[in-house]
Amino acid sequence: MTTTLGRAESPVHAPVVPARLSLTPKTALAGQLDGAWWPRSRDLETELPALAAALEAPWGRITRVTVNPTRWPVVPHAVPVSGQVLHVGWFTEQDPHKLILLSYSVGRWDLLVVPPETGPAAAARLMAAAAIPGSVLTASVLMANEAAIGRGIRDAQRQESGWESEGGACMSPFGNPIDRGTLPLPGNGWR
């Protein structure tokens, strides 16, 4: 037996997962970015409907989006969003870490795109930095800064684990290493 779908029946769509956004508060201070977006994948057809839906209330209907194609494996020409079409363009000259959104009613917004594979702590730092009103930092500068911060955190963790694996530097007042087990317990019971 074969089943056919009539034209009146619409295909079943997966529910749209809310977009992860951090937007700059409305102020008179204009900056390089209007916030940040942390997509869950590099699939624009899947990710853009949630982004457009989240921005419709504060910014109006988004009509166009531009990206740098080096960060997206497939750049569709158009994405259906709530019965409308969102036109997608690409420019290799555009900052690869930025998404540009256009609306007929309000204008243009530039968002930092936090890579989907970014860890939650790094993503939170990037999203907060991109939403600072009047910031002069570009998307690429923020990403480079976060890479440096990430390296610093990893280096500090390595140094701490090295410190711990060597037994720490528990020294006597005379400069001689001593065993932690021989130290008297303080009032709270911690060594």
Side-chain angles (χ1 to χ4, degrees):
M1 181 172 155
T2 329
T3 305
T4 57
L5 294 175
R7 290 181 185 252
E9 297 179 44
S10 62
V12 176
H13 294 286
V16 175
V17 178
R20 299 182 289 190
L21 280 171
S22 175
L23 301 177
T24 304
K26 291 184 180 185
T27 67
L29 297 172
Q32 290 287 321
L33 297 169
D34 299 298
W37 173 48
W38 185 22
R40 289 174 172 79
S41 72
R42 292 198 182 268
D43 181 359
L44 284 172
E45 283 192 81
T46 301
E47 299 293 335
L48 286 176
L51 177 63
L55 294 174
E56 191 165 348
W59 290 351
R61 187 171 70 87
I62 305 300
T63 56
R64 295 189 180 280
V65 174
T66 65
V67 298
N68 185 312
T70 60
R71 299 289 190 238
W72 305 96
V74 175
V75 179
H77 293 289
V79 174
V81 175
S82 303
Q84 305 288 330
V85 175
L86 179 60
H87 298 279
V88 183
W90 57 268
F91 297 98
T92 55
E93 300 84 17
Q94 182 174 320
D95 186 326
H97 301 289
K98 184 168 71 171
L99 177 87
I100 298 174
L101 302 152
L102 302 167
S103 168
Y104 289 130
S105 59
V106 183
R108 170 186 165 156
W109 302 274
D110 296 10
L111 296 179
L112 166 71
V113 178
V114 178
E117 60 277 1
T118 304
R125 285 190 299 270
L126 284 165
M127 293 179 82
I132 296 172
S135 175
V136 295
L137 301 177
T138 65
S140 285
V141 168
L142 287 174
M143 293 301 294
N145 289 349
E146 180 54 39
I149 289 168
R151 277 192 306 273
I153 290 171
R154 284 189 301 278
D155 289 348
Q157 288 170 339
R158 262 188 250 121
Q159 288 174 351
E160 185 176 323
S161 67
W163 174 277
E164 293 297 324
S165 68
E166 295 168 358
C170 191
M171 306 291 273
S172 76
F174 305 109
N176 302 323
I178 59 173
D179 181 27
R180 286 182 179 222
T182 63
L183 294 174
L185 289 174
N188 63 5
W190 291 90
R191 289 189 197 258

